[in-house]
Amino acid sequence: MMSACPEPSVWPQLVDRQLSEEEAQALRDHARGCARCQSQLRETEALVARIAAPLDPAAPTEEAVARVMRRVLAGGGERRVSPLRARPWVGGAVAAALAAGLAVFMLRPSSGPGPGLGETFTARGGPVAATLGRSVGVTFHTGAAPLAPDSVVSADAGFGVRYRNLDTREPVYLLAFAQDARGEVHWLYPAHLREDANEPSVRLMPSAEARALDEVVVLEEPAPGPLRLVSIVTRSPLGVMDVESLPPEGRTPEALRRQWPEAAVESVSVVMAGAGATP
């Protein structure tokens, strides 16, 4: 019979049926007599339910659907998904994404100050972090090309995310965002379309080959200048508010590693060209 509270990381394994029947029963018996663990279990069940289809965007408004369909029909393409707030499709990267059958999103940045923008960094060492770093890798792309450090990117570029995940034993989850020269946070994964929502990180399915996530994201009115793209891969699901609630100094690469020492954190810094400029 279990007496001490288990590690929080076991609840996603329980909900995802990764444990033996005996282990699962012992955890549920413990949760029935422990208010804290019962709360953690319920929160995990709610999160896992929300990320059962992690790449499905939030339901668009009728106006947004009609706006996108008008553009799609005019261009002879297939049906696409629209965010709650969008601006006209522009740029070759977006056209290439549409031709490839990918959904394109224009996301509103989060307001508020942010940290200074740094250079490309890699995940810090440590037993769990090293394991994630060896089995999961994330790269950012514009079109078919991976982003190179310090490259110049047009303001209407579409950003894509590709990953590999060799871990077939435990679930892993991704947060990915960009931070512009004003310190504003633009969410790539998950889509953050409502300021009062705490969208959960998306689950990365196992894949030995490089696999692209389904959407290409166009940032809405990013500030010209340095732009840092960051991915955080964890064993347990996080939410966008886990990052949004951090103070500016808490969103630096070093601080993110301290906040989640078990995470694999990857980043690339580029330069965002001004609107109308040609990289």
Side-chain angles (χ1 to χ4, degrees):
M1 182 175 181
M2 184 179 298
S3 56
C5 293
E7 292 293 327
S9 60
V10 305
W11 300 117
Q13 297 177 44
L14 172 63
V15 175
D16 277 348
R17 300 180 181 179
Q18 301 289 325
L19 304 177
S20 68
E21 184 176 348
E22 181 178 349
E23 292 172 323
Q25 188 59 49
L27 284 169
R28 292 191 183 278
D29 289 343
H30 173 82
R32 276 194 287 270
C34 177
R36 187 180 73 171
C37 289
Q38 187 177 59
S39 175
Q40 290 180 343
L41 175 57
R42 287 176 177 173
E43 291 175 0
T44 302
E45 288 173 336
L47 280 173
V48 172
R50 291 176 64 188
I51 59 176
L55 299 182
D56 289 345
T61 63
E62 292 183 2
E63 178 185 359
V65 171
R67 183 167 59 248
V68 173
M69 289 304 297
R70 285 196 296 271
R71 296 193 183 103
V72 170
L73 292 175
E78 299 179 358
R79 182 175 180 177
R80 301 289 178 254
V81 180
S82 169
L84 295 179
R85 177 183 174 189
R87 56 191 173 88
W89 310 124
V90 288
V94 177
L98 292 174
L102 301 178
V104 181
F105 288 86
M106 320 289 251
L107 297 187
R108 177 171 50 198
S110 304
S111 60
L117 301 179
E119 299 301 320
T120 301
F121 61 87
T122 56
R124 188 176 62 178
V128 180
T131 300
L132 273 176
R134 284 195 300 266
S135 60
V136 183
V138 177
T139 56
F140 295 95
H141 292 248
T142 52
L147 281 171
D150 301 321
S151 58
V152 179
V153 181
S154 65
D156 55 16
F159 292 97
V161 174
R162 294 182 185 177
Y163 75 92
R164 60 162 176 80
N165 176 19
L166 304 181
D167 194 333
T168 59
R169 298 174 301 172
E170 298 183 61
V172 296
Y173 303 88
L174 169 73
L175 290 177
F177 63 92
Q179 183 174 273
D180 66 19
R182 286 191 298 260
E184 293 182 335
V185 176
H186 303 253
W187 283 96
L188 278 65
Y189 287 93
H192 184 41
L193 304 177
R194 287 175 34 222
E195 293 184 0
D196 61 344
N198 185 28
E199 293 89 349
S201 50
V202 299
R203 183 170 176 176
L204 300 181
M205 304 309 295
S207 177
E209 303 297 329
R211 181 173 178 175
L213 295 182
D214 286 347
E215 297 88 20
V216 170
V217 181
V218 178
L219 311 185
E220 185 171 358
E221 299 178 357
L227 181 81
R228 187 176 66 220
L229 297 109
V230 181
S231 65
I232 306 172
V233 176
T234 54
R235 294 288 187 195
S236 300
L238 300 173
V240 298
M241 292 304 174
D242 290 313
V243 172
E244 294 276 351
S245 63
L246 296 173
E249 61 274 15
R251 298 195 201 112
T252 65
E254 296 78 10
L256 290 173
R257 297 191 197 102
R258 289 193 298 269
Q259 180 75 16
W260 296 291
E262 82 287 357
V265 182
E266 299 183 40
S267 175
V268 62
S269 293
V270 297
V271 178
M272 178 65 68
T278 302

